[in-house]
């Protein structure tokens, strides 16, 4: 392996025929699609099951529900857009039907208090509602993304509601490939096997020539059996250049204790089809370079030996149970537990791990390999209160899995009503996770290859922070316009890895900064 050291210095740059991007799915970022998540690789995660969220108090007592600012599914390319639309893919949405139909306990909830549990009993007959949003996401020197979303809601009668969503997004920019930073230029064979891309000395290796477009469709039907029981059924389809996801979901909710308590349960199943550009890399096989072979035929033979060209599958089963409780006329709390079982192709086909010598110099690159199963648990606690001036929300989520990746998420939001028709909302979100057990910043020449290895920073130790502000204004004829600006910062951290030789001269865990700007309109 040592006879190939010099090939890391580029001698040419070829134009790649690769048209798909390395778009991420599983980022712990609060734009947990965020595009911070969505813009790193192609291992998209299926939409996660969402517990029903208490609805925010209305701006005033007009006969219209406010927009929702709930965190949406991770598979949604942009959580920022979900914050506007409140589109969840799995279970009943915000207990809208149950609370619209069930009588509210007058001793516990006062309509004049604009409590977080208050619902308009005529909302189901209000007809169609359309939410539209445009979102722009920009990372510093990396990914740029734009997304348009339309969310449709129609009350068919007093017991049935249908919802539909269509989203189209496009991404361009540069994505980290997992290799370490070096004191000299580095070259990498493109996933298609045609051409190379390179990283300058002292810079984080990025593939800066990718783009992708994704179309997502989802539909949901809710049925109210009685004042106490309701169900939900839904479907999901997402299609992009090299990834297709299909999903079905169902949920049930029961109201009791004079509608001050709701218990809910849901399930979702997702079937994903993965066709990476250039085929799926053989896990931990070494990247080959055209310059090391006398002919194109010899190179293609060696390249094909590192690839599987059949279609890969990924299956996800999500289960969720929980309870929402009205505590008093102003406060409501929710507790839920989620279980997610994933199996199949869980690798990121566009990530590599550097192999270094004792001086920290890269000798080659190996394609990552992750386990083909993952079992995840998460516990979610939220409390929401209706103040005289607005709404205050606190939430905490703890997640753990059999990859030893533990995570904590804290979120606080304060919505201040400027007037009967306008509000401003502030948000602070903090996220912290430990590294997965098979996270390796690099591999060493002297040691045998491990069973699994990934240098993907999304599986490493990190912290992320989000600061956001949103302004909403009610317009004529009941329309509601909003604009949101958020700053997102991702701070990868060293999980205790030694940095030999030249690796110590560079920041191998660079910070990522991004902004999110979104415009929304409810008709």
């Amino acid at each position: 392996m040592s006879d190939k050291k010099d090939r890391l210095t580029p001698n040419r740059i070829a134009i790649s025929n690769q048209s798909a991007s390395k778009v991420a799915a599983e980022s712990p970022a609060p734009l947990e699609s965020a595009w911070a998540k969505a813009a790193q690789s192609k291992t998209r995660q299926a939409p996660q099951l969402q517990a029903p969220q208490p609805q925010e108090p209305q701006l005033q007592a007009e006969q219209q529900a406010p927009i929702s600012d709930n965190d949406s599914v991770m598979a949604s390319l942009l959580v920022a857009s979900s914050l506007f639309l409140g589109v969840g893919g799995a279970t009943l949405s915000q207990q809208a039907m149950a609370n619209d139909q069930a009588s509210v306990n007058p001793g516990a909830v006062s309509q004049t208090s604009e409590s977080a549990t208050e619902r308009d009993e005529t909302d189901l007959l209000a007809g169609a509602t359309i939410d539209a949003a445009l979102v722009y996401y920009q990372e510093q020197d990396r990914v740029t993304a734009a997304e348009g979303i339309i969310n449709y809601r129609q009350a068919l009668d007093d017991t049935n509601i249908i919802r539909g969503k269509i989203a189209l997004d496009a991404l361009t920019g540069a994505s980290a490939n997992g290799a370490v930073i070096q004191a000299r230029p580095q070259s990498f064979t493109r996933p298609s096997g045609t051409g190379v891309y390179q990283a300058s000395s002292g810079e984080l290796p990025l593939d800066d020539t990718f783009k992708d477009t994704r179309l997502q469709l989802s539909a949901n039907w809710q049925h109210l059996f009685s004042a106490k029981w309701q169900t939900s059924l839904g479907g999901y389809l997402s299609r992009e250049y090299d990834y297709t996801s299909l999903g079905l979901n169902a949920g049930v909710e029961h109201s009791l204790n004079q509608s001050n308590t709701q218990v809910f349960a849901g399930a979702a199943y997702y079937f994903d089809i993965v066709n990476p550009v250039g085929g799926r890399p053989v896990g931990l096989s070494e990247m080959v370079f055209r310059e090391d072979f006398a002919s194109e035929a010899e190179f293609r033979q060696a390249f094909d030996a590192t690839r599987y060209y059949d279609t890969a599958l990924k299956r996800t089963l999500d289960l969720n149970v929980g309870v929402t409780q009205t505590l008093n006329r102003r406060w409501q709390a929710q507790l839920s537990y989620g279980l997610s079982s994933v199996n199949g192709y869980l690798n990121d086909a566009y990530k590599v791990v550097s192999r270094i010598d004792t001086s920290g110099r890269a000798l080659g690159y190996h394609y990552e390999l992750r386990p083909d199963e993952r079992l995840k648990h998460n516990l979610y606690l939220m409390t929401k209160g209706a103040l005289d001036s607005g709404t205050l929300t606190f939430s905490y989520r703890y997640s753990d899995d059999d990859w030893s990746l533990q995570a904590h998420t804290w979120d606080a939001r304060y919505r201040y009503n400027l007037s009967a028709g306008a509000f401003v909302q502030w948000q602070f979100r903090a996220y912290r996770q430990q590294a997965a057990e098979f996270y390796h910043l690099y591999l060493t020449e002297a040691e045998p290859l491990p069973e699994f290895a990934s240098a993907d920073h999304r599986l490493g130790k990190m912290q992320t922070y989000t600061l956001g502000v949103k302004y909403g204004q009610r317009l004529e004829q009941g329309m509601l316009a909003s604009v949101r600006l958020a700053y997102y910062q991702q701070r990868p951290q060293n999980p205790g890895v030694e940095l030999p030789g030249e690796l110590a001269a560079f920041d191998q865990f660079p910070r990522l900064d991004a902004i999110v700007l979104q415009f929304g309109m409810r008709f």
Side-chain angles (χ1 to χ4, degrees), residues 130-239:
I130 298 176
D131 290 313
L134 293 175
V135 192
Y136 176 80
Y137 174 85
Q138 175 67 67
E139 295 176 354
Q140 184 176 6
D141 301 324
R142 297 198 196 178
V143 171
T144 300
E147 183 177 39
I149 302 174
I150 297 177
N151 187 44
Y152 176 80
R153 175 187 180 277
Q154 175 67 60
L156 301 179
D157 51 40
D158 59 354
T159 60
N160 294 279
I161 292 179
I162 58 172
R163 289 180 172 85
K165 173 187 172 183
I166 179 171
L168 180 65
D169 48 63
L171 298 92
T172 61
S175 178
N177 70 359
V180 296
I181 301 175
Q182 292 281 276
R184 56 200 173 89
Q186 302 180 76
S187 289
F188 303 90
T189 299
R190 295 192 182 280
S192 63
T194 303
V196 299
Y197 64 94
Q198 61 182 169
S200 301
S201 59
E203 293 186 355
L204 182 70
L206 302 172
D207 182 354
D208 60 357
T209 57
F210 77 88
K211 58 183 179 180
D212 199 7
T213 302
R214 184 184 70 129
L215 176 65
Q216 177 189 335
L217 303 172
S218 62
N220 180 270
W221 169 61
Q222 292 178 242
H223 179 69
L224 181 70
F225 286 99
S226 67
K228 295 185 177 182
W229 287 95
Q230 62 174 306
T231 60
S232 175
L233 295 174
Y236 169 87
L237 168 64
S238 177
R239 177 68 177 130

Side-chain angles (χ1 to χ4, degrees), residues 233-485:
L233 295 174
Y236 169 87
L237 168 64
S238 177
R239 177 68 177 130
E240 53 198 281
Y241 186 84
D242 57 357
Y243 201 96
T244 302
S245 180
L246 302 169
L248 295 173
N249 54 76
V252 61
E253 181 180 309
H254 178 58
S255 296
L256 61 155
N257 187 24
Q258 296 182 299
S259 296
N260 288 314
T261 304
Q262 291 83 35
V263 293
F264 53 86
Y269 178 78
Y270 296 94
F271 182 81
D272 300 346
I273 304 171
V274 188
N275 290 291
V277 173
R280 292 179 293 120
V282 176
L284 297 180
S285 63
E286 185 174 358
M287 181 180 290
V288 295
F289 293 82
R290 172 64 181 87
E291 64 186 55
D292 294 327
F293 298 88
S295 68
E296 178 68 18
E298 292 179 358
F299 166 71
R300 294 306 306 188
Q301 182 178 8
F303 180 82
D304 290 345
T306 69
R307 289 294 192 272
Y308 297 117
Y309 289 104
D310 58 329
T311 297
L313 302 178
K314 174 183 172 183
R315 302 172 180 86
T316 303
L317 176 63
D318 290 336
L319 303 174
N320 182 275
V321 295
V323 58
T324 300
Q325 176 64 49
T326 298
L327 304 177
N328 54 43
R329 63 190 296 268
R330 288 183 177 269
W331 287 91
Q332 191 174 55
Q334 183 180 100
L335 178 65
S336 67
Y337 166 76
L339 176 68
S340 180
S341 176
V342 189
N343 67 81
Y345 186 72
L346 305 185
N347 296 341
D348 187 325
Y350 307 107
K351 299 295 185 186
V352 299
V353 186
S354 300
R355 189 183 73 257
I356 65 171
D357 59 19
T358 56
S359 67
R361 185 178 183 182
L363 306 177
Y365 312 98
H366 294 260
Y367 298 104
E368 74 161 31
L369 177 62
R370 308 180 187 185
D372 59 6
E373 293 183 344
R374 187 177 186 182
L375 185 65
K376 297 181 286 186
H377 307 263
N378 73 81
L379 187 66
Y380 177 76
L381 176 64
M382 183 273 297
T383 181
K384 175 172 290 191
L387 310 179
D388 292 336
S389 59
T391 307
L392 189 62
T393 306
F394 298 100
S395 68
Y396 167 74
R397 184 184 300 274
Y398 170 77
S399 62
D400 192 9
D401 61 28
D402 54 3
W403 289 3
S404 299
L405 199 159
Q406 296 183 350
H408 305 265
T409 306
W410 299 268
D411 189 284
R413 303 180 192 185
Y414 174 57
R415 170 169 163 166
Y416 177 75
N417 294 328
L418 300 172
S419 66
F423 71 89
V424 61
Q425 178 172 280
W426 293 272
Q427 178 194 16
F428 174 74
R429 186 181 187 280
Y431 175 88
R432 184 181 68 185
Q433 76 173 30
Q434 299 299 317
E437 59 187 1
F438 55 87
Y439 174 81
H440 293 267
L441 178 63
Y442 56 80
L443 304 174
T444 60
E445 183 182 28
E447 298 179 354
L449 294 176
E451 181 180 9
F452 304 108
S454 174
D456 190 339
H457 71 277
R458 295 167 299 163
L459 297 177
K461 183 179 180 180
M462 73 160 61
Q463 297 177 355
T464 72
Y465 301 94
T466 302
L467 287 173
V469 60
K470 177 179 179 179
Y471 174 76
Q473 175 67 57
R474 194 165 297 283
L475 306 177
E476 296 180 355
Q477 299 178 343
M479 293 188 298
L480 182 66
S482 66
V483 58
R484 178 177 182 265
L485 179 64

Side-chain angles (χ1 to χ4, degrees), residues 55 58 61-67 93-102 118-131 153-163 222 224 474 478 522-523:
Q55 183 174 348
Q58 300 179 11
E62 77 272 40
Q63 307 298 312
Q64 183 171 352
I67 60 176
S93 173
Q94 300 185 352
Q95 309 162 351
M97 295 185 65
N99 289 288
D100 283 334
Q101 291 297 313
E118 187 176 22
R119 298 295 187 274
D120 174 18
E121 294 183 356
T122 65
D123 184 62
L124 283 174
L125 302 177
T129 300
I130 298 176
D131 290 313
R153 175 187 180 277
Q154 175 67 60
L156 301 179
D157 51 40
D158 59 354
T159 60
N160 294 279
I161 292 179
I162 58 172
R163 289 180 172 85
Q222 292 178 242
L224 181 70
R474 194 165 297 283
R522 163 168 284 190
F523 302 93

Side-chain angles (χ1 to χ4, degrees), residues 1-148:
M1 287 190 266
S2 60
D3 59 346
K4 297 182 181 179
K5 291 181 181 180
D6 292 338
R7 72 153 128 76
L8 297 179
T9 301
N11 54 16
R12 72 172 69 89
I13 300 179
I15 302 298
S16 169
N17 63 1
Q18 176 188 1
S19 61
S21 67
K22 282 64 96 183
V23 185
E26 210 173 65
S27 158
L31 309 176
E32 259 168 345
S33 68
W35 273 322
K37 181 193 326 187
Q40 305 300 325
S41 81
K42 202 57 172 213
T43 52
R44 277 200 194 283
Q45 180 174 347
Q48 289 188 351
L49 209 56
Q50 290 291 306
Q53 300 291 320
Q55 183 174 348
E56 290 195 25
Q58 300 179 11
L59 290 174
Q60 54 185 8
E62 77 272 40
Q63 307 298 312
Q64 183 171 352
I67 60 176
S68 167
D69 269 339
N70 299 326
D71 283 334
S72 185
V73 294
M74 291 181 67
S76 175
L77 180 63
L78 195 63
V79 159
S81 61
S82 300
L83 289 173
F84 170 74
L85 295 176
V87 178
T91 57
L92 309 178
S93 173
Q94 300 185 352
Q95 309 162 351
M97 295 185 65
N99 289 288
D100 283 334
Q101 291 297 313
S103 59
V104 178
N105 179 7
V109 181
S110 170
Q111 291 186 359
T112 58
S113 71
E114 294 186 350
S115 161
T117 60
E118 187 176 22
R119 298 295 187 274
D120 174 18
E121 294 183 356
T122 65
D123 184 62
L124 283 174
L125 302 177
T129 300
I130 298 176
D131 290 313
L134 293 175
V135 192
Y136 176 80
Y137 174 85
Q138 175 67 67
E139 295 176 354
Q140 184 176 6
D141 301 324
R142 297 198 196 178
V143 171
T144 300
E147 183 177 39

